């Protein structure tokens, strides 16, 4: 879960092998308890999902939508024309489209300090600038 929510790209091969090993261990230890759907989805389909999306998985959560409510309100109050509802809405949509553009979000990058907070066990599951490998 730390790797998925880190904001970094997932190293597909490493994540897939880690997830399969974890799934086998789960079945071995907890054979009496049915695996929850969310755990099954992450362990068996997480690598395929991470491979097919353009942005890191952490950027695809609803958490970002909830956090953008504050930005939405600030943009509406400070950066839109108030001459009519149509003008206000148009300006608001343009500004929010700029804020949420995946290319712009990706170009911003992540804070440098975030890498120091990740456990060492998680690092092989991620792709960071110094660890980029073409055979992901």
């Amino acid at each position: 879960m730390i790797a998925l929510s880190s904001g970094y790209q997932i190293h597909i091969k490493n994540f897939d092998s880690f997830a399969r090993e974890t799934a086998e261990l789960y079945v071995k230890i907890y054979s009496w308890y049915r695996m929850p759907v969310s755990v099954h989805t992450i362990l068996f389909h997480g690598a395929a999902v991470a491979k097919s999306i353009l942005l890191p998985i952490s950027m695809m959560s609803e958490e970002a939508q909830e956090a953008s409510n504050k930005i939405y309100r600030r943009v509406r109050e400070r950066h839109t024309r108030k001459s009519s509802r149509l003008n206000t809405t148009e300006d608001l949509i343009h500004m929010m489209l700029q804020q949420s553009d995946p290319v712009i979000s990706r170009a911003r990058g992540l804070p440098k300090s975030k890498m120091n907070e990740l456990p060492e066990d998680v690092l092989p599951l991620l792709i960071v600038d110094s660890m980029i490998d073409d055979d992901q």
Side-chain angles (χ1 to χ4, degrees), residues 19-32:
R20 299 236 180 249
E21 290 172 13
T22 304
E24 289 172 6
L25 187 62
Y26 182 96
V27 170
K28 181 179 176 183
I29 295 175
Y30 301 108
S31 60
W32 51 270

Side-chain angles (χ1 to χ4, degrees), residues 87-105:
N87 289 340
T88 302
T89 304
E90 182 182 352
D91 292 347
L92 183 61
I93 289 172
H94 288 150
M95 290 293 287
M96 294 308 285
L97 283 172
Q98 290 173 2
Q99 291 276 331
S100 66
D101 187 279
V103 175
I104 294 172
S105 296

